[in-house]
């Protein structure tokens, strides 16, 4: 039954002490969780219905001492902010904005709280003292060690010339005593108080209800460890008056050893403060040879949660609430735990973090949009946030509206949207794309958005519904605080950025409790929630050095030396607290599994907590070490994608064939389709048979397709009036003055913009593209001017070059229609030339003819295959011979435009060399086209992974 468990012993002792009078007793804990367990044990031990005692947390209990209300953190900030600026104004200094002051305010409020909790005199803490004699005079009660702390600190400020940092520090230090007084006075005027000041007022006899404790015949404080000086003074006085008693949860193992930090505060409470423990400390239960520790090194942080499947075995749930628990020393591991342990009886005390929910993702999107609008021209918004909005699943925008906006972004390359145009997307859009006016209206807009979402989604998860409810509650409190500040005399106008950041801070800190029966099932809790609770079996995750104990302390303006002199908390106190939290878990547990992240990364040293090392050294317990096994991954080797030519694949493929007159298809084999097949047959299938499209470029992406298409358009426009005429260098020079306008029109055409006004609202990236295209075009024109005169024969003729080509299909002769859209055909020095413009890394050099069609693609030259294809198509369509293929590579025009072998003496593709090459090409063209329509040859992947680097379908292939 667990009679050795701390709360069970407390319940038994209380029933024996008070009997039926227990109903009048007040029982005070540090947190709420132990109350449920104590009630359970009281019921079990009594064996009959009894009246429950009064239960309080320490905060609730001490709040009975005053009629004042504990102020919210936001209220404390606004008061401190106002008082700080009044001080600056009195010094003749420039005031600070709320946004700048907020992080300072958090530190100042924390320092003031510690001064109050530990009953320190703020005037003395912040006193500037230079000489040792003055130190001894001001602090006659300090011992030599305390004086040494103060001397060592102020020694660094005794120089005649101080650094700028020291000057700023001293300025802040001077203001603190006055700021402390004014801050608390201002709160008091409104019947408000901080929690720490409430403690102090009660301890120093200034509370409005100083004798509040006497309303109870007796008060029992259960499970306390580290006490502030205010608590020490109160508890000691109440004990002396016979008003209270204490039940400390400790073990002889660390209590008797003065070097053991886990027992530091219990020893202080009993030996120094003089508080009496109602229990005799049990014998050292931790140093038990029967205890079994398993230390598991996990292969990653999240992997710790995944280990639970093995650690829990088949029995994931526990019948008794105190039999088994998962303790999260690192509370960020909650989600991995939830994703691993799916038991319905899971009992989670920590609450689901709002900051990791889809609802917070929507709030964060709303805040990002608002921040961008307020920091911009307040009339337009960049497309990024618009696109995130239309695809957010909680917005659930209608398909037509979503597709229309997406088309504007991808096809029209709309980089910015006017807010008024976005309001037509619905009520949610109107609330998201609104202009900031005031804190209250902005907060109401976000609250309204969440309400719309909750009503709009039919099957909203219960957890999401709870998250929305909690968020709206927090927003209402924020709104009230801002309205109160605005209504107060001399109200300060809040900067929009500060309002947005305050909203984000308030929402990010929310959590929602899980449903469940708190006294049954497998318990999952953080280290703080585990206080006073005992379990038979424990699994502790996050047992890393730096996590347990934590190595960081709360930021403070009070230096360590001064803290030590005035008895304020220092890092060692934090270590002692966490050491106690951990060691007290081990009192009753027989089987303990401690898991730590053994991987060294930016968030972890990969080192186990020193508490584990201490246990190994100081106990005779049994230890077993284990390393998480790598997840078994079955390797099936390279999974080739093979598409057989049958069924619908064959049906679509045959649409390229020219059948009888009754069934004519207009699908043609283009130059790009042919080169796709040569480089990778599977890519040909994806794009030409399956009809998959390449992803559209976004407005801030300079796609190679966009640059290439625009250059072709500009060059066609430049020479359009010269078709059939001789082009001279003078004509080129004269026409260049229109080049900029041609580039602008080409961009307007690509963006589906108004051609009459192509300069309207061009963004920076579009202007860069215009400059790039203009420079590329100038390179080509400079080259052409050097060759002039020449005659333009044809430009971008999209319909004329479509000859038929014979192929063999299923033993029958069939025909396919080829298509060549040629950039330019001209005549230079009596020779017809095919000119192809390229803006990429295409090269004029090739290995050899056979290499052009290698299956592994290593010797392929896509540009040469394409221009040979264009040449073949043109010659067949126009019944001409001797046409030369030329490649204008704008990045390398200095090496000419004719193809040549890579050998040092490689011959250029011209005259007789070219004729032989064309004959070979026609044979290879026939071979490859017959292969395309051969049912026995499937579409397969290329073996050359270099080809895959820029392939739009590489994610499908997983290569």
């Amino acid at each position: 039954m667990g009679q050795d468990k701390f709360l069970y012993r407390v319940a038994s002792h209380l029933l024996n002490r008070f009997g039926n009078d227990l109903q009048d007793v007040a029982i005070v804990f540090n947190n709420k969780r132990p109350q449920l367990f104590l009630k359970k044990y009281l019921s079990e031990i009594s064996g009959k219905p009894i009246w429950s005692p009064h239960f309080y947390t320490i905060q609730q209990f001490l709040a009975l001492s005053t009629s004042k209300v504990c102020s919210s953190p936001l209220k404390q900030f606004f008061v401190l902010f106002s008082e700080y600026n009044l001080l600056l104004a009195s010094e003749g200094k420039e005031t600070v904005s709320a946004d700048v002051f907020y992080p300072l305010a958090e530190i100042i409020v924390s320092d003031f709280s510690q001064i109050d909790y530990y009953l320190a005199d703020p005037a003395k803490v912040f006193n500037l003292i230079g000489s040792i004699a003055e130190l001894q005079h001001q602090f006659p009660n300090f011992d030599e060690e305390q004086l040494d702390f103060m001397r060592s600190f102020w020694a660094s400020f005794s120089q005649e010339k101080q650094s700028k940092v020291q000057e700023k520090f001293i300025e802040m230090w001077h203001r603190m005593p006055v700021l402390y007084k004014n801050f608390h006075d201002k709160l008091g005027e409104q019947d408000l108080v901080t929690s720490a000041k409430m403690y102090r007022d009660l301890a120093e006899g200034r509370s409005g209800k100083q004798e509040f404790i006497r309303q109870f015949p007796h008060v029992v404080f259960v499970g306390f460890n580290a006490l502030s000086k205010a608590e020490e003074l109160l508890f000691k006085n109440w004990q002396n008056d016979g008003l209270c008693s204490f039940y400390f949860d400790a073990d002889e193992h660390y209590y008797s050893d003065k070097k053991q930090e886990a027992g530091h505060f219990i020893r202080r409470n009993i030996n120094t403060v003089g508080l009496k423990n109602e229990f005799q400390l049990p014998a050292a239960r931790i140093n038990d040879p029967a205890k079994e520790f398993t230390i598991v090194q996990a292969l990653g942080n999240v992997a710790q949660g995944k280990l639970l499947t093995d650690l829990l075995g088949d029995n994931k749930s526990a019948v008794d609430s105190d039999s088994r628990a998962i303790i999260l020393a690192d509370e960020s591991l909650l989600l991995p735990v939830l994703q691993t342990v799916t038991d319905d009886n899971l009992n989670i005390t920590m609450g689901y973090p709002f900051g990791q929910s889809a609802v917070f993702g929507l709030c964060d999107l709303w805040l990002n949009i608002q921040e961008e609008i307020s920091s911009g021209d307040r009339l337009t918004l960049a497309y990024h946030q618009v696109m995130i909005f239309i695809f957010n699943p909680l917005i659930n925008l209608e398909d037509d509206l979503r597709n229309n906006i997406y088309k504007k972004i991808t096809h029209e390359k709309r980089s910015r949207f006017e807010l008024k145009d976005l309001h037509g997307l619905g009520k949610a859009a109107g609330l998201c794309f609104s202009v900031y006016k005031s804190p209250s209206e902005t907060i109401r807009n976000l609250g309204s958005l969440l309400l719309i979402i909750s009503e709009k989604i039919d099957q909203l998860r219960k957890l999401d519904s709870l998250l929305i409810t909690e968020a709206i509650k927090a927003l209402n409190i924020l709104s009230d605080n801002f309205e109160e500040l605005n209504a107060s005399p001399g109200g300060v106008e809040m900067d929009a950025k500060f309002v947005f950041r305050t909203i984000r801070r308030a929402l990010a800190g929310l959590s929602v409790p899980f449903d469940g029966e708190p006294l049954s099932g497998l318990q999952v809790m953080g280290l703080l929630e585990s206080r006073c609770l005992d379990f038979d079996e424990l699994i502790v995750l996050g047992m890393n050095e730096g996590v347990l104990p934590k190595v960081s302390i709360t930021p403070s303006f009070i230096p360590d030396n001064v803290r030590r002199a005035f008895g304020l908390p220092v890092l060692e106190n934090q270590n002692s607290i966490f050491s106690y939290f951990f060691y007290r878990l081990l009192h009753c547990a027989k089987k303990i599994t401690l898991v730590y992240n053994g991987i060294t990364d930016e968030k972890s040293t990969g080192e186990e907590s020193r508490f584990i090392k201490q246990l190994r050294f100081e106990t005779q317990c049994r230890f077993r070490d284990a390393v998480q096994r790598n997840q078994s991954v079955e390797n099936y080797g390279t999974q080739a994608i093979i598409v057989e030519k049958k069924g619908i694949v064959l049906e679509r493929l045959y649409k390229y064939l020219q059948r009888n007159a009754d069934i004519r298809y207009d699908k043609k084999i283009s130059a790009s389709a042919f080169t796709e097949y040569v480089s990778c047959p599977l890519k040909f299938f994806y794009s030409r048979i399956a009809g998959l499209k390449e992803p559209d470029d976004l407005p801030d992406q300079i796609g190679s397709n966009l640059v290439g298409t625009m250059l072709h358009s500009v060059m066609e426009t430049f020479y359009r009036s010269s078709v059939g005429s001789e082009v001279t260098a003078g004509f080129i020079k004269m026409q260049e003055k229109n080049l900029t306008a041609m580039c602008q029109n080409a961009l307007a055409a690509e963006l589906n913009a108004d051609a009459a006004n192509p300069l309207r609202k061009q963004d920076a990236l579009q202007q860069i593209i215009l400059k790039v295209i203009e420079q590329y075009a100038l390179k080509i024109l400079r080259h052409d001017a050097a060759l002039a005169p020449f005659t333009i024969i044809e430009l971008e003729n999209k319909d004329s070059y479509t000859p038929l080509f014979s192929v063999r299909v299923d033993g029958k002769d069939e025909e396919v229609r080829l298509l060549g859209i040629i950039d330019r055909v001209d005549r230079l020095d009596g020779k017809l030339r095919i000119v192809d413009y390229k803006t990429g890394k295409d090269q004029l050099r090739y290995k050899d003819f056979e290499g052009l069609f290698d299956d592994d693609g290593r010797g392929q030259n896509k540009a040469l295959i394409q221009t040979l294809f264009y040449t073949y198509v043109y010659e067949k369509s126009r019944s001409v011979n001797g046409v030369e293929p030329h490649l204008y590579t704008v990045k390398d025009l200095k090496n000419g435009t004719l193809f040549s072998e890579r050998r040092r003496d490689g011959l250029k593709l011209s005259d007789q060399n070219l004729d032989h090459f064309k004959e070979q090409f026609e044979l290879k063209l026939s071979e490859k086209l017959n292969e395309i329509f051969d049912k026995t040859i499937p579409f397969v992947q290329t073996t050359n992974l270099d080809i895959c680097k820029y392939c739009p379908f590489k994610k499908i292939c997983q290569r």
Side-chain angles (χ1 to χ4, degrees), residues 74-352:
L74 189 61
K75 179 64 179 178
Q76 292 180 39
F77 164 76
F78 284 138
V79 171
L80 191 70
F81 171 62
S82 176
E83 295 302 318
Y84 188 79
N85 272 336
L86 286 173
L87 277 178
L88 288 177
S90 68
E91 296 173 14
K93 291 186 169 57
E94 186 178 352
T95 58
V96 296
S97 67
D99 198 38
V100 170
F101 185 65
Y102 194 92
L104 297 178
E106 289 183 315
I107 299 174
I108 293 171
V109 168
S110 174
D111 284 345
F112 286 175
S113 294
Q114 290 189 351
I115 285 173
D116 286 334
Y117 280 131
Y118 288 84
L119 307 180
D121 185 340
K124 291 185 177 180
V125 169
F126 298 113
N127 205 346
L128 287 172
I129 299 174
S131 69
I132 295 175
E134 191 177 357
L135 275 171
Q136 292 172 331
H137 176 72
Q138 288 286 339
F139 304 106
N141 296 324
F142 274 9
D143 58 29
E144 191 59 32
E145 185 181 24
Q146 288 176 301
L147 289 172
D148 284 342
F149 286 141
M150 295 296 289
R151 290 189 195 107
S152 63
F153 171 68
W154 287 114
S156 63
F157 288 85
S158 61
Q159 306 296 328
E160 291 184 5
K161 292 185 179 180
Q162 294 158 345
S163 70
K164 296 245 181 221
V165 174
Q166 288 177 325
E167 289 176 3
K168 288 288 184 184
F169 178 84
I170 290 176
E171 282 182 11
M172 177 72 74
W173 197 263
H174 268 301
R175 296 184 191 114
M176 288 299 186
V178 180
L179 183 61
Y180 172 91
K181 181 178 184 304
N182 294 351
F183 169 66
H184 285 302
D185 286 349
K186 193 68 175 178
L187 285 175
E189 291 173 9
Q190 303 174 47
D191 283 330
L192 296 174
V193 68
T194 66
S195 177
K197 190 66 163 60
M198 177 179 70
Y199 277 54
R200 181 171 198 145
D201 288 345
L202 183 59
E204 294 180 344
R206 294 193 302 271
S207 177
K209 301 176 182 179
Q210 198 69 33
E211 299 297 313
F212 82 99
I213 190 173
R214 295 186 182 273
Q215 64 184 293
F216 305 102
H218 197 76
V219 179
V220 176
F221 293 94
V222 180
F224 282 77
N225 175 42
L227 303 176
S228 66
K229 285 187 179 178
E231 289 170 323
E232 290 178 353
L233 180 61
L234 287 169
F235 289 178
K236 179 62 174 174
N237 289 340
W238 289 338
Q239 178 182 265
N240 291 344
D241 294 340
L243 300 175
C244 69
S245 56
F246 302 90
Y247 291 87
F248 293 115
D249 184 15
D251 188 86
E252 190 69 30
H253 173 77
Y254 53 81
Y255 177 80
S256 299
D257 183 357
K258 293 183 179 181
K259 295 180 181 179
Q260 236 295 353
E261 56 192 349
H264 170 74
F265 285 106
I266 299 293
R267 288 193 295 270
R268 176 179 173 80
N269 294 339
I270 296 174
N271 300 329
T272 304
V273 180
L275 303 181
K276 299 175 183 177
N277 189 6
E278 292 295 321
F279 283 154
Q280 291 294 321
L281 288 182
R285 294 169 293 172
I286 293 177
N287 189 11
D288 181 358
K291 278 191 192 294
E292 179 185 335
F293 285 89
T294 301
I295 315 299
V296 183
Q297 179 186 28
L299 302 179
N301 206 41
V302 174
Q304 296 180 72
K306 302 304 178 185
L307 271 170
L308 291 174
T309 302
D310 295 330
L311 296 178
L312 295 173
D314 295 331
N315 182 23
K316 292 186 175 66
S317 60
V319 176
D320 296 324
S321 57
D322 55 3
S323 62
R324 177 186 274 185
I326 298 171
I327 307 296
L328 305 183
D330 181 356
E331 296 191 1
S332 68
L333 295 174
L334 176 60
L335 286 185
V337 170
L338 294 180
Q339 292 166 356
T340 304
V341 185
T342 57
D343 196 290
D344 292 337
N345 292 323
L346 205 62
N347 190 344
I348 303 162
T349 67
M350 299 167 59
Y352 188 89

Side-chain angles (χ1 to χ4, degrees), residues 231-503:
E231 289 170 323
E232 290 178 353
L233 180 61
L234 287 169
F235 289 178
K236 179 62 174 174
N237 289 340
W238 289 338
Q239 178 182 265
N240 291 344
D241 294 340
L243 300 175
C244 69
S245 56
F246 302 90
Y247 291 87
F248 293 115
D249 184 15
D251 188 86
E252 190 69 30
H253 173 77
Y254 53 81
Y255 177 80
S256 299
D257 183 357
K258 293 183 179 181
K259 295 180 181 179
Q260 236 295 353
E261 56 192 349
H264 170 74
F265 285 106
I266 299 293
R267 288 193 295 270
R268 176 179 173 80
N269 294 339
I270 296 174
N271 300 329
T272 304
V273 180
L275 303 181
K276 299 175 183 177
N277 189 6
E278 292 295 321
F279 283 154
Q280 291 294 321
L281 288 182
R285 294 169 293 172
I286 293 177
N287 189 11
D288 181 358
K291 278 191 192 294
E292 179 185 335
F293 285 89
T294 301
I295 315 299
V296 183
Q297 179 186 28
L299 302 179
N301 206 41
V302 174
Q304 296 180 72
K306 302 304 178 185
L307 271 170
L308 291 174
T309 302
D310 295 330
L311 296 178
L312 295 173
D314 295 331
N315 182 23
K316 292 186 175 66
S317 60
V319 176
D320 296 324
S321 57
D322 55 3
S323 62
R324 177 186 274 185
I326 298 171
I327 307 296
L328 305 183
D330 181 356
E331 296 191 1
S332 68
L333 295 174
L334 176 60
L335 286 185
V337 170
L338 294 180
Q339 292 166 356
T340 304
V341 185
T342 57
D343 196 290
D344 292 337
N345 292 323
L346 205 62
N347 190 344
I348 303 162
T349 67
M350 299 167 59
Y352 188 89
F354 184 78
Q356 297 183 25
S357 68
V359 179
F360 179 75
L362 177 63
C363 295
D364 192 54
L365 169 62
W366 181 88
L367 287 164
N368 289 336
I369 291 172
Q370 288 293 305
E371 286 170 344
E372 188 169 331
I373 291 173
S374 65
S375 62
D377 59 14
R378 299 170 66 88
L379 296 174
T380 64
L381 183 68
Y383 81 92
H384 306 85
Q385 304 292 2
V386 177
M387 193 155 72
I388 296 172
F389 173 85
I390 63 175
F391 285 109
N392 189 290
L394 293 181
I395 297 295
N396 199 22
L397 199 63
E398 293 178 12
D399 291 344
D400 291 343
L401 294 174
R402 183 192 304 113
N403 294 338
N404 181 48
I405 295 295
Y406 185 69
K407 184 178 179 181
K408 290 180 184 295
I409 294 172
T410 56
H411 292 188
E412 299 179 17
K413 299 296 185 287
R414 181 85 64 88
S415 60
R416 299 195 71 82
F417 286 80
E418 294 189 6
L419 299 184
K420 61 181 181 180
D421 295 338
L422 295 171
H423 291 173
L425 296 177
K427 291 183 180 179
L431 294 167
C432 279
F433 304 114
S434 58
V435 177
Y436 174 83
K437 293 180 181 178
S438 69
S440 297
E441 181 176 331
T442 294
I443 293 170
R444 282 196 299 272
N445 285 346
L446 178 54
S448 299
L449 174 66
L450 292 176
L451 285 174
I452 288 173
I453 295 305
S454 64
E455 295 168 357
K456 192 173 182 181
I457 299 179
D458 297 330
Q459 296 181 342
L460 192 69
R461 292 186 308 165
K462 184 176 182 181
L463 181 60
D464 288 331
S465 181
L466 290 172
L467 288 167
I468 289 175
T469 302
E470 286 298 314
I472 291 175
K473 286 180 184 177
L475 291 173
N476 287 337
I477 293 172
L478 272 184
S479 180
D480 291 343
N481 276 281
F482 277 115
E483 285 183 352
E484 182 183 339
L485 180 73
N486 190 52
S488 62
V492 182
E493 184 176 347
M494 290 292 106
D495 179 71
K497 289 182 180 178
F498 171 72
V499 175
F500 299 141
R501 289 180 185 176
T502 304
I503 294 172

Side-chain angles (χ1 to χ4, degrees), residues 291-294 537-538 540 586 589-594:
K291 278 191 192 294
E292 179 185 335
F293 285 89
T294 301
E537 182 179 344
L538 287 172
V540 185
L586 311 180
K590 298 300 180 184
K591 183 179 180 182
I592 305 107
T593 303
L594 307 177

Side-chain angles (χ1 to χ4, degrees), residues 655-710:
K655 288 187 177 182
Y656 283 97
L657 299 177
Q658 298 293 312
R659 302 284 187 170
N660 55 56
D662 295 329
I663 309 176
R664 292 187 59 84
Y665 300 103
D666 61 356
K667 291 183 73 69
K668 307 174 183 69
I669 300 289
S670 65
S672 57
F674 181 69
T675 53
E676 278 177 6
Y677 183 81
V678 171
S679 62
C680 178
L682 190 63
K683 183 178 181 181
F684 175 88
F685 164 76
Y686 285 143
S687 62
R688 309 297 167 170
I689 307 301
L692 301 182
K693 302 296 183 184
E694 295 187 21
D696 293 310
D697 289 329
L698 297 173
D700 56 358
Q701 294 175 335
I702 305 178
S704 58
N705 290 343
L706 175 64
V707 174
T709 303
M710 283 183 58

